[in-house]
Amino acid sequence: VQLQASGGGLVQAGGSLRLSCVASGSIFGINDMAWYRQAPGEQRELVATVTIGGSTNYAASVKGRFAISRDNAKNTVYLQMNSLRPEDTAVYFCNTNPPYLGDFGVHEWGQGTLVTVSS
């Protein structure tokens, strides 16, 4: 399964970034999608979700600052991140919601994209 995230980088606090993720067509069109993140030494956490129909939901820590969207024609999910804070520093991953379970009963993940927010 393809889950190719991009758009990360180094940004100052208060800045913005837009992440993109192209997913395999076989999974994108029939699944809710989500962005997750994993900070150094922390567990992976759910950041934002978007249903097939476009309804969205956000973790409390990013609500009002981040916006998730999807383009079903391009099999792409986006995460617009505004008013970034140092605590948003993490590797960001996209996946289905819940995470895609592969043939061997293991959740499959792409390589993610690193977001670093300097203070």
Side-chain angles (χ1 to χ4, degrees):
V1 62
Q2 177 190 18
L3 293 162
Q4 183 71 42
S6 62
L10 174 64
V11 63
Q12 288 189 329
S16 299
L17 281 174
R18 189 191 193 209
L19 307 184
S20 301
C21 177
V22 180
S24 303
S26 59
I27 65 168
F28 189 90
I30 60 172
N31 283 285
D32 298 344
M33 297 297 295
W35 283 95
Y36 305 77
R37 68 185 180 187
Q38 187 167 18
E42 302 287 337
Q43 296 227 359
R44 195 167 300 179
E45 63 172 347
L46 180 64
V47 174
T49 65
V50 58
T51 67
I52 295 172
S55 297
T56 59
N57 206 356
Y58 299 92
S61 59
V62 306
K63 200 168 186 177
R65 300 187 297 122
F66 290 12
I68 188 172
S69 61
R70 64 190 290 163
D71 186 333
N72 292 333
K74 296 181 179 179
N75 296 335
T76 302
V77 60
Y78 303 97
L79 186 68
Q80 177 67 44
M81 305 187 295
N82 300 322
S83 302
L84 282 161
R85 304 168 180 168
E87 54 264 39
D88 295 319
T89 295
V91 178
Y92 284 71
F93 303 86
C94 75
N95 209 322
T96 57
N97 181 36
Y100 183 78
L101 201 59
D103 292 340
F104 301 100
V106 176
H107 288 130
E108 296 191 15
W109 296 89
Q111 85 277 12
T113 186
L114 176 63
V115 173
T116 304
V117 185
S118 63
S119 57

